[in-house]
Amino acid sequence: GQNIDQPTEMTATEGAIVQINCTYQTSGFNGLFWYQQHAGEAPTFLSYNVLDGLEEKGRFSSFLSRSKGYSYLLLKELQMKDSASYLCAVRLTSGTYKYIFGTGTRLKVLA
Amino acid sequence: DTEVTQTPKHLVMGMTNKKSLKCEQHMGHRAMYWYKQKAKKPPELMFVYSYEKLSINESVPSRFSPECPNSSLLNLHLHALQPEDSALYLCASSHGTIAKNIQYFGAGTRLSVL
């Protein structure tokens, strides 16, 4: 079976740094995606990793270790608007379109 | 333009009704997806169309019937639904051929089955 786990909820303070973890055990792996989803809205793409290491994009960075089945999303200089759900998703194999989403992490940013 | 448009935004239907959800994109994407999302849960893949052909059906009940009339449009026909089918239905599209193949999502149709 496919298993992608994330913490259910996290709380952080405005201006702080938060790390959201994602661990996966899947039948295949061809890339890991991070999405942000505000309540009642569509998921929007944040970051993508297919090789080990860190990808940095402004206030957001994502890290991948394929040998450990582990990724994290790092959010710096938190803002109130960052309060949302964060979803990691694994694309199972190259050449297919099968994506499995993780359980999602609801982040609450406090003033 | 990275817009995926879904209509209607909200839909209430009885268990004997027939309705359709529509999805449209003009990004030239060749892969289109239907996902179902229940409250506080992640999206679950239902169907994938690749180059207008159904390539993935995740054992979805036949009361959900997808259709891809052309490369820009994706429909989901609904018939004899159950109350447990109430959820947010998300459409997504992706390029289909490039390595990264980012999915772009529509805002969804919130479906209530009475």
Side-chain angles (χ1 to χ4, degrees):
Chain A
Q2 321 290 359
N3 208 36
I4 304 178
D5 287 321
Q6 299 178 237
T8 305
E9 287 187 354
M10 299 182 73
T11 303
T13 307
E14 200 174 14
I17 299 172
V18 72
Q19 177 175 311
I20 301 174
N21 295 328
C22 171
T23 57
Y24 62 90
Q25 285 179 302
T26 53
S27 56
F29 179 85
N30 192 250
L32 189 142
F33 299 77
W34 284 96
Y35 286 85
Q36 179 191 61
Q37 187 176 26
H38 286 98
E41 296 183 12
T44 54
F45 170 75
L46 291 177
S47 191
Y48 167 74
N49 297 75
V50 67
L51 299 176
D52 291 353
L54 189 69
E55 291 286 334
E56 296 188 82
K57 209 175 180 183
R59 292 192 300 116
F60 297 87
S61 304
S62 59
F63 172 83
L64 175 68
S65 168
R66 288 171 296 168
S67 61
K68 294 191 168 115
Y70 168 69
S71 174
Y72 67 72
L73 180 70
L74 195 70
L75 291 78
K76 301 176 193 172
E77 301 168 15
L78 279 175
Q79 302 174 10
M80 300 295 285
K81 66 178 183 180
D82 297 328
S83 293
S85 287
Y86 291 84
L87 301 162
C88 67
V90 169
R91 182 169 62 206
L92 292 187
T93 52
S94 173
T96 73
Y97 305 99
K98 191 153 182 178
Y99 297 75
I100 306 293
F101 279 80
T103 48
T105 299
R106 284 193 299 281
L107 174 66
K108 192 180 290 186
V109 179
L110 304 175
Chain B
D1 180 16
T2 56
E3 192 171 342
V4 176
T5 305
Q6 289 189 244
T7 54
K9 291 195 187 317
H10 301 275
L11 180 62
V12 179
M13 60 187 290
M15 289 191 282
T16 58
N17 293 156
K18 284 185 184 181
K19 296 285 184 185
S20 297
L21 310 184
K22 295 186 185 308
C23 175
E24 191 167 3
Q25 57 87 14
H26 296 287
M27 296 178 275
H29 288 174
R30 303 314 298 267
M32 296 186 78
Y33 311 74
W34 280 115
Y35 285 88
K36 173 182 178 180
Q37 186 176 27
K38 300 282 263 186
K40 297 186 179 180
K41 296 288 186 186
E44 294 176 13
L45 186 64
M46 299 174 71
F47 301 104
V48 182
Y49 274 82
S50 169
Y51 289 81
E52 298 144 59
K53 288 186 168 40
L54 184 65
S55 65
I56 296 177
N57 175 344
E58 288 289 278
S59 304
V60 178
S62 59
R63 57 185 185 268
F64 296 91
S65 174
E67 179 198 19
C68 189
N70 60 56
S71 60
S72 299
L73 292 175
L74 185 66
N75 299 321
L76 187 62
H77 303 297
L78 314 173
H79 173 55
L81 294 194
Q82 304 296 309
E84 60 265 27
D85 297 322
S86 298
L88 180 68
Y89 288 84
L90 292 166
C91 172
S93 71
S94 68
H95 191 280
T97 55
I98 60 176
K100 197 183 278 192
N101 207 37
I102 296 167
Q103 292 183 298
Y104 295 90
F105 285 84
T109 295
R110 190 159 297 282
L111 174 68
S112 296
V113 181
L114 305 178

